[in-house]
Amino acid sequence: MIPETRIESRKLSDLTPADYNPRQISDRALSGLRESVTRFGLVQPIIVNERTGNVVGGHQRRKVLEAEGVDEVDVVVVDIEPREERALNVALNNPHISGDFTDGLDSML
């Protein structure tokens, strides 16, 4: 069975970054992410665990939104055990399960 999620609006200041988040972002990558968010909007929501209040996915997007002065944002809310929260964080950030670009990428841009 697939766990339930819901989308709701939350204040950015209420979104607590997880202290265990294993991801880092370079200034160059953060700049690219900021450009993407300002160009296309937040098309990939931040994910928050109802039980802990932690951001599970979207720490870097949160940084961009904060820098842009955003007050409130739609988030995906999950309700999972803290151990599962950490596993989800790793799964969301794992490049080995996100696939690869095809050879036709250049023709799309």
Side-chain angles (χ1 to χ4, degrees):
M1 180 161 70
I2 297 175
E4 289 186 31
T5 62
R6 68 180 185 277
I7 297 175
E8 60 184 48
S9 187
R10 295 214 177 164
K11 290 184 182 259
L12 196 63
S13 60
D14 291 342
L15 304 182
T16 307
D19 60 3
Y20 61 79
N21 185 43
R23 290 287 301 267
Q24 304 178 39
I25 192 166
S26 68
D27 290 341
R28 181 174 182 216
L30 187 61
S31 176
L33 178 59
R34 187 175 191 170
E35 184 178 322
S36 175
V37 170
T38 58
R39 179 177 178 183
F40 302 114
L42 187 66
V43 296
Q44 186 177 13
I46 295 169
I47 301 159
V48 178
N49 188 0
E50 182 69 25
R51 294 185 193 192
T52 64
N54 287 336
V55 171
V56 182
H59 290 83
Q60 312 311 330
R61 294 186 301 277
R62 184 189 173 284
K63 284 181 191 175
V64 167
L65 295 170
E66 186 174 51
E68 289 294 317
V70 171
D71 293 321
E72 203 165 289
V73 64
D74 285 343
V75 299
V76 172
V77 180
V78 297
D79 185 8
I80 55 179
E81 296 288 336
R83 182 179 173 104
E84 286 296 285
E85 173 185 300
R86 289 173 181 253
L88 177 57
N89 176 278
V90 171
L92 291 169
N93 291 293
N94 187 341
H96 301 291
I97 64 171
S98 64
D100 298 309
F101 288 114
T102 64
D103 292 337
L105 176 63
D106 289 340
S107 66
M108 292 178 58
L109 303 175

